[in-house]
Amino acid sequence: MFKIELEGLFRHPGEQLTLDRTTEFSVTDERGASLIPGPVHIHGVIRNTAGVVYSDASLDAELHTFCDRCACPVEKHLKVPMVHTFVPSVENEDQDDYIVLPDLVLELDALAEEDLVLNLPSKVLCQEDCKGLCPTCGKNLNDGPCDCKEPVDPRLAGLLDLLQ
């Protein structure tokens, strides 16, 4: 766990701290497979502007998962913003706009992992126009059409008999 002491930053308006860290997280899918098998790069700054301490940073990571339509492997670059405002205390406990640091110590890796997990895409496609799998035979329709016949609605099957 990587901790950053921010007391000096809180005391000196105009000061800033540069972030450039590479770390790894164990983010897994429902099967237990690693979604982010490689390193995660955290870069940016934490600065005190007019007495307000905030981060202006981002995370770079490679997402390894499967297409939600055709189940092909997908590797996708993620760039996740890490923009937060830090305060030593708040009067209203329901305030979600700030990250409260009572001891003025930031656990950077924990915050970065939370940001990464919250910004994972809910749906991943191998390509924007992925055709998916045939519901009958399971063939990947991105590789071409399958030989399955169009299923007939059982309610209209009697009409098909009339046409033959």
Side-chain angles (χ1 to χ4, degrees):
M1 192 164 306
F2 187 73
K3 295 183 180 187
I4 300 175
E5 174 63 49
L6 296 179
E7 185 174 354
L9 216 58
F10 273 97
R11 289 185 184 184
H12 302 100
E15 294 268 329
Q16 76 176 25
L17 173 68
T18 301
L19 299 175
D20 188 12
R21 174 169 167 70
T22 301
T23 187
E24 295 196 15
F25 301 128
S26 63
V27 180
T28 59
D29 63 11
E30 62 279 351
R31 298 171 292 124
S34 180
L35 291 172
I36 312 290
V40 175
H41 186 223
I42 306 167
H43 52 93
V45 294
I46 300 175
R47 62 174 55 113
N48 182 334
T49 303
V52 177
V53 177
Y54 67 94
S55 66
D56 184 9
S58 63
L59 305 167
D60 287 310
E62 292 296 322
L63 174 67
H64 292 230
T65 188
F66 296 93
C67 178
D68 287 326
R69 288 190 190 154
C70 69
C72 288
V74 176
E75 291 182 18
K76 191 175 211 168
H77 180 76
L78 297 177
K79 187 167 186 82
V80 176
M82 265 187 75
V83 178
H84 300 285
T85 303
F86 306 107
V87 295
S89 64
V90 291
E91 291 180 16
N92 184 356
E93 295 285 328
D94 297 332
Q95 190 63 265
D96 289 340
D97 297 335
Y98 308 108
I99 294 179
V100 181
L101 303 172
D103 55 358
L104 303 179
V105 175
L106 171 65
E107 293 182 11
L108 182 64
D109 287 353
L111 180 62
E113 186 172 14
E114 181 179 322
D115 283 347
L116 183 62
V117 169
L118 290 174
N119 283 284
L120 286 173
S122 59
K123 185 171 197 157
V124 178
L125 300 177
C126 60
Q127 54 193 9
E128 187 128 345
D129 61 342
C130 177
K131 294 178 176 113
L133 302 175
C134 172
T136 305
C137 69
K139 181 179 187 223
N140 187 341
L141 298 175
N142 295 315
D143 298 336
C146 63
D147 297 328
C148 294
K149 293 181 181 172
E150 195 70 32
V152 177
D153 186 336
R155 297 171 294 181
L156 302 176
L159 292 176
L160 185 62
D161 292 339
L162 293 174
L163 292 174
Q164 294 176 356

